[in-house]
Amino acid sequence: MDARNLTVTQEFVLLGFPEGGHFLSIFLLLLYLMILMGNLAIFTIIQIDSHLHMPMYFFLSHLSQLDICYSSVTLPSMLGNAMAGNRRISFEGCMAQLYFFVSLGGAKCLLLAAMAYDRYVAICNPLRYASIISQRLCVELTAASWLGGFLNSILHTAMTSQLPFCNATGINHFFCDVPPLIHLSCSKSRTSQNLLYIVSVFLGMSPFLFVLVSYVHIISSILKISSARGRRKAFSTCSAHLIVVSVFYTTANFNYIGPGPGDSFDIVRLSNMLYSIMTPLLNPVIYCLRNNEVKGAFKRLLTPKHFSLRV
């Protein structure tokens, strides 16, 4: 390739935004506020209510923190682009957004797997739950999730930042992510693409398969419970997590492994919205509606008796 064509890219244009995005900006603002309020409510209630000071809710509080950070990497800039009509983003800003988005997404993949392990031990080995899922193990699994996500992102960001883009600047996306930037590159090398597949399989498919295997054992154990009330209670503690995991892993793996050159941009865009925006929004809604302990904690917090005791 002619070295003269490998000019340094100063900025990109995000082509995922339609022209005249006033309605889109209102929609994004509402989504972002709902994500912030929902996840802050979950995090706050877990910190306040002593009944929720258990490993399951320790992980859930970190998931809420992750979702707040995760959505804050993309939504404020998307909101600004939609409101101002300026779809340009600098090369440095694009790489910074990519780094934090990939790191937080990877951390979420690993944290959801840790939450599945917690539910597996609680239901399949309840007598040893307290000794296996200790506070130290919870901290170690959570720290490993955050660290694993950030280390993975360093590799992706370093590789992507070195790609030559020649004169191409239009990114078919709402924000900077690895797949659209690889597609935009004028390099014929498949090193970054292969790295994306390898890491996606390791960090995306492996935790997903671990979660699936865990839930096969969990559901098998639940079906062996003789009491119908016991089965409902056991399943209620797992169903919310299973729904969140299904939506997140399915859309994430499609984004990084599934789409090919011939796939419709509308399908890819819908998957991107589900992966990056809808899962942080759905998490607090699903956990509030499906989890009786969280609903009970909210009721205790909102009752006059609770407030009188704390005065």
Side-chain angles (χ1 to χ4, degrees):
M1 186 177 290
D2 191 344
R4 291 173 298 179
N5 291 328
L6 301 180
T7 55
V8 178
T9 302
Q10 299 295 327
E11 63 179 13
F12 296 106
V13 179
L14 298 168
L15 303 178
F17 294 95
E19 296 291 342
H22 298 295
F23 174 77
L24 177 62
S25 62
I26 297 173
F27 178 67
L28 291 176
L29 178 60
L30 290 175
L31 281 179
Y32 187 50
L33 291 175
M34 291 169 66
I35 289 170
L36 289 181
M37 290 188 294
N39 284 286
L40 279 173
I42 291 288
F43 176 78
T44 302
I45 197 67
I46 291 173
Q47 302 304 311
I48 292 176
D49 197 301
S50 60
H51 296 86
L52 300 182
H53 291 175
M54 297 183 289
M56 174 183 176
Y57 300 106
F58 174 82
F59 291 126
L60 181 56
S61 68
H62 278 271
L63 181 63
S64 297
Q65 293 178 67
L66 260 176
D67 280 335
I68 291 172
C69 298
Y70 186 60
S71 57
S72 296
V73 170
T74 56
L75 270 173
S77 62
M78 290 169 61
L79 179 60
N81 290 338
M83 291 180 66
N86 180 14
R87 299 183 292 174
R88 298 181 181 276
I89 183 171
S90 67
F91 179 84
E92 294 78 10
C94 184
M95 291 301 111
Q97 188 178 65
L98 182 151
Y99 172 76
F100 286 106
F101 181 76
V102 173
S103 62
L104 293 167
K108 188 172 179 178
C109 281
L110 297 173
L111 185 61
L112 288 172
M115 294 174 71
Y117 177 67
D118 169 73
R119 291 299 84 204
Y120 165 77
V121 176
I123 292 175
C124 299
N125 202 351
L127 297 179
R128 298 187 57 204
Y129 178 75
S131 61
I132 295 175
I133 308 296
S134 62
Q135 183 177 3
R136 178 178 178 179
L137 181 63
C138 292
V139 172
E140 289 175 348
L141 289 175
T142 303
S145 300
W146 286 87
L147 182 61
F150 278 88
L151 290 177
N152 161 66
S153 188
I154 291 174
L155 186 62
H156 276 306
T157 307
M159 294 291 293
T160 306
S161 64
Q162 298 302 313
L163 291 174
F165 297 102
C166 302
N167 295 319
T169 58
I171 301 176
N172 283 324
H173 212 323
F174 297 101
F175 52 86
C176 292
D177 199 3
V178 178
L181 286 169
I182 291 177
H183 295 155
L184 183 65
S185 172
C186 56
S187 172
K188 300 301 181 183
S189 172
R190 294 188 58 82
T191 303
S192 294
Q193 185 72 60
N194 292 335
L195 175 66
L196 177 64
Y197 283 139
I198 292 170
V199 176
S200 296
V201 168
F202 176 75
L203 197 64
M205 288 301 297
S206 297
F208 184 43
L209 291 175
F210 175 81
V211 171
L212 287 180
V213 172
S214 298
Y215 271 95
V216 168
H217 290 285
I218 288 171
I219 294 173
S220 176
S221 297
I222 290 175
L223 293 176
K224 293 177 183 177
I225 299 175
S226 57
S227 167
R229 181 180 179 183
R231 287 195 298 270
R232 285 195 300 269
K233 183 178 179 181
F235 190 72
S236 69
T237 64
C238 300
S239 57
H241 180 251
L242 187 58
I243 294 170
V244 169
V245 162
S246 300
V247 174
F248 179 77
Y249 280 121
T250 301
T251 54
N253 285 317
F254 175 79
N255 282 339
Y256 291 101
I257 302 175
D263 286 322
S264 167
F265 177 58
D266 290 334
I267 295 175
V268 177
R269 180 160 53 181
L270 175 61
S271 178
N272 289 330
M273 291 289 285
L274 288 172
Y275 169 60
S276 60
I277 297 175
M278 295 310 295
T279 53
L281 177 64
L282 288 175
N283 285 351
V285 175
I286 291 173
Y287 277 106
C288 286
L289 293 178
R290 300 290 300 176
N291 191 291
N292 292 327
E293 291 177 326
V294 174
K295 287 191 291 186
F298 273 109
K299 289 178 181 177
R300 287 191 294 272
L301 181 63
L302 297 176
T303 55
K305 180 181 178 181
H306 179 87
F307 287 106
S308 64
L309 289 174
R310 295 178 61 89
V311 173

